[in-house]
Amino acid sequence: MLRPQTWYLLVAAILLVVCMIAGAGTMLQLVLLIAAAVSIVAAIPLFKNRKLQAGVTLLSILLLLAWYVVLALYAIPEIMHWQYALPAVAIFFVFIARKGILHDEKVIRSYDRIR
């Protein structure tokens, strides 16, 4: 049974792959999407090191926010398509996963205090 955070990260990675396939953005945006997707997938097996996992998810959120900054700088406003919303949905899923990861870390620390 996988943790809910793993499912959220998987959904976020799938959304980014769909965005890449749909061809959203410039070459720089494609590089940012690939970096964010790789960081999300790399965060999944880090469940035993929750602090590092939370840090990697924060990195992926920052990469996706950078994607929107590049979009704002280079995009023509009349040509906005549905795939431009996918990284925002991925940010939401990564944020929820990070919140769960930090909650798990808090629970583990409370158990350690009880011992």
Side-chain angles (χ1 to χ4, degrees):
M1 184 73 185
L2 296 176
R3 296 174 19 208
Q5 294 88 327
T6 304
W7 288 110
Y8 296 143
L9 292 173
L10 283 173
V11 168
I14 290 169
L15 287 171
L16 294 181
V17 169
V18 169
C19 188
M20 284 183 262
I21 291 171
T26 63
M27 188 59 133
L28 177 59
Q29 287 176 305
L30 181 63
V31 170
L32 287 171
L33 282 178
I34 290 171
V38 167
S39 67
I40 289 170
V41 171
I44 293 173
L46 295 174
F47 62 90
K48 290 188 179 186
N49 190 349
R50 287 169 299 280
K51 287 183 183 180
L52 181 60
Q53 189 179 32
V56 172
T57 55
L58 181 62
L59 172 69
S60 63
I61 290 172
L62 293 175
L63 286 169
L64 291 172
L65 290 174
W67 186 88
Y68 277 108
V69 168
V70 172
L71 177 68
L73 293 175
Y74 296 113
I76 301 169
E78 301 88 37
I79 309 175
M80 299 300 269
H81 299 286
W82 60 272
Q83 62 263 32
Y84 292 126
L86 294 179
V89 178
I91 288 172
F92 172 75
F93 278 111
V94 174
F95 178 76
I96 297 297
R98 186 173 192 281
K99 191 172 178 181
I101 292 164
L102 294 175
H103 179 264
D104 286 352
E105 180 65 22
K106 185 177 175 183
V107 168
I108 295 298
R109 284 185 185 205
S110 71
Y111 286 152
D112 287 343
R113 278 195 302 264
I114 292 173
R115 283 195 246 173

